[in-house]
Amino acid sequence: MKNRIITISRQFGSGGRTIGKLAAEALNIPCYDREIIEQIAEKSGFAKEYVAEHGEYSDTGGWLSNAFGDSYLLGGRSNQDLIWEAQCKTINEIADKGPCVIVGRCADYVLKDRVDCLRVYIYADLKKRVNRIVTQYGKLMDSPEKRVMEKDKRRAAYYRIYTDQKFGEAENFDVALNSGTLGIEKCADIIAQLYQHIAD
Amino acid sequence: MKNRIITISRQFGSGGRTIGKLAAEALNIPCYDREIIEQIAEKSGFAKEYVAEHGEYSDTGGWLSNAFGDSYLLGGRSNQDLIWEAQCKTINEIADKGPCVIVGRCADYVLKDRVDCLRVYIYADLKKRVNRIVTQYGKLMDSPEKRVMEKDKRRAAYYRIYTDQKFGEAENFDVALNSGTLGIEKCADIIAQLYQHIAD
C-alpha cells in the first residue's frame, strides 16, 4: 500500500495539534508532534528544549540575528541550520515508514515533492486563539495577545528562511480550515474524510 | 429560520462557479452568479457587459488608471465606484431574501459583519486552472497562462481597492479548498456539509 501522509501547518493557538491527534485517531494512524523533537534531539545532539525553540521559531530579530547572532559551526552553518537538516531527515524517515499525521515543523514543505500528502493549514482569528491559550494553559503572562502574535511572527520568519515561502499561503495547501468558526472536531472530521477521499 | 449564506471567492479558472452551483443543488438553495450582474446593471443603468468587466476586475494599470483613467461622475466617484455601490446593495438584498450561494463579487467582504455566512475560497495551481479554461472554452488565445495570470492580477487589484484586504488571504475565510487536488465534486460536498454543520 502506498503511504499516505497528512501534514498539518497551524497558527499558534489554533488547536492544530489537537486536530491532528483527533484525525489520526479517527484514521487509526500515528500522529507525530513532540516525538519529532525527540528524534531530532537524538540525531543532532542538541537538547530537546533547544530543538523545540530553534526548530520552528526564528529568533525575534529575524535575518540579522540569524546572520550574526548564532554561533557558527561546520561549514558556516548555524545551530538552527543543523537542526533544520536533522528535521528534514527525520520527517522524511517518518513519512517513509507509513501513513501518519505530522504536525508542524515545515513538513508540508519538506514533503512537497511527494504526491501522497494531504497538506492542511489550520488557523483562527487572534481572539479565538488567545482564548484557547488562556483556557488551556491559564493566564501565565500579562499579555497573551502579545505572546500569540510574537509566536506567529517568529514561526512565519522561520518558515520564510528555510522554505522561501510565505507561511499560511493557501496555494501551499490542499485545504485550509478556520478552527475558530468550524470547531476542532469538525476540522478533524473534514481532514479524515479528505484523507480517505484522496486515498480512494 | 435564520438565513444562511455561502459566499464563494475563487481564483480564475478554479471551478468556483461550478462548485457553487453543485453545493447549491445539493442544499436545494439558489446560487447567484451572473444573476447579480443583471441586477446591478438594472440598478446602475450600465450595460451588463460593462458591469461584468468593471464589477470584479480592476483596470490593468492598477491605481493610476483608477485615479486618472475613468470618467468621473457624481461627487468624484468613478463608474467603478457606482457599480461597487450597486453591487453592495444587490448582494445585501439577495442575502436578506434567504439561504443561498453567492459566487464572487467580493460578497465575503460585503457580508463580513453577518454571522450567518460560510465564507469559502476556491483555488488551484496555475497549470490546473489553465487546463480547465482550455478544456471548457477551447484554446481561444495564444497564451491561456497569460490570460489566467492577468485575470488573477486584476481581480486581486479590484479586491484590494474596495476591501483594503489581500485577495485569497486564508484568515478571511472559514474554509479554503484546492479544487485542483481535491476535485470539483469533493469541494462541493465539503461545502454542503459545512453549511449544514454551521446551520445546526
Side-chain angles (χ1 to χ4, degrees), chain B:
Chain B
M1 184 195 161
K2 207 173 169 190
N3 294 334
R4 304 284 169 184
I5 316 292
I6 297 173
T7 62
I8 298 193
S9 300
R10 74 288 182 232
Q11 281 188 331
F12 186 73
S14 67
R17 189 170 51 160
T18 309
I19 292 169
K21 297 261 177 227
L22 288 175
E25 270 171 36
L27 294 164
N28 201 24
I29 58 176
C31 177
Y32 296 97
D33 174 32
R34 299 285 304 178
E35 300 80 357
I36 300 178
I37 296 175
E38 283 162 29
Q39 290 192 31
I40 296 166
E42 230 169 79
K43 273 196 182 65
S44 66
F46 291 113
K48 273 189 276 184
E49 297 69 25
Y50 191 85
V51 171
E53 190 60 22
H54 290 83
E56 198 160 30
Y57 298 100
S58 173
D59 297 325
T60 329
W63 72 269
L64 264 178
S65 61
N66 196 53
F68 302 116
D70 282 330
S71 55
Y72 273 69
L73 299 178
L74 304 167
R77 288 172 297 167
S78 66
N79 288 355
Q80 205 172 33
D81 293 339
L82 296 176
I83 291 173
W84 168 253
E85 283 164 30
Q87 188 157 295
C88 291
K89 198 165 182 285
T90 303
I91 288 169
N92 272 303
E93 283 170 6
I94 287 172
D96 284 338
K97 266 200 230 163
C100 65
V101 176
I102 304 176
V103 179
R105 322 238 134 229
C106 309
D108 57 313
Y109 176 81
V110 176
L111 303 176
K112 70 180 188 309
D113 295 327
R114 296 178 69 119
V115 290
D116 56 350
C117 284
L118 178 72
R119 299 160 304 153
V120 180
Y121 180 58
I122 304 290
Y123 59 99
D125 73 15
L126 182 64
K127 203 176 155 194
K128 292 247 169 80
R129 292 189 288 132
V130 168
N131 283 347
R132 190 176 160 81
I133 296 292
V134 172
T135 310
Q136 284 222 315
Y137 305 106
K139 205 173 179 229
L140 302 173
M141 67 284 307
D142 277 346
S143 172
E145 288 83 2
K146 209 176 144 191
R147 180 173 152 78
V148 170
M149 284 192 290
E150 197 213 328
K151 284 270 190 185
D152 280 352
K153 201 172 148 188
R154 290 178 57 207
R155 209 177 259 182
Y158 181 88
Y159 194 85
R160 170 73 81 185
I161 290 169
Y162 285 102
T163 72
D164 206 23
Q165 292 181 345
K166 196 182 159 211
F167 185 69
E169 199 81 53
E171 280 69 14
N172 297 330
F173 303 106
D174 299 307
V175 59
L177 299 161
N178 185 332
S179 61
T181 56
L182 302 177
I184 298 289
E185 289 75 16
K186 193 64 192 172
C187 289
D189 172 37
I190 295 287
I191 293 167
Q193 269 188 53
L194 288 178
Y195 178 87
Q196 284 173 320
H197 166 68
I198 284 189
D200 285 346

Side-chain angles (χ1 to χ4, degrees), chain A residues 134-150:
Chain A
V134 173
T135 309
Q136 283 222 316
Y137 305 106
K139 204 174 180 229
L140 301 172
M141 67 286 303
D142 277 345
S143 172
E145 288 83 3
K146 210 174 143 192
R147 180 174 153 78
V148 170
M149 283 191 291
E150 198 213 327

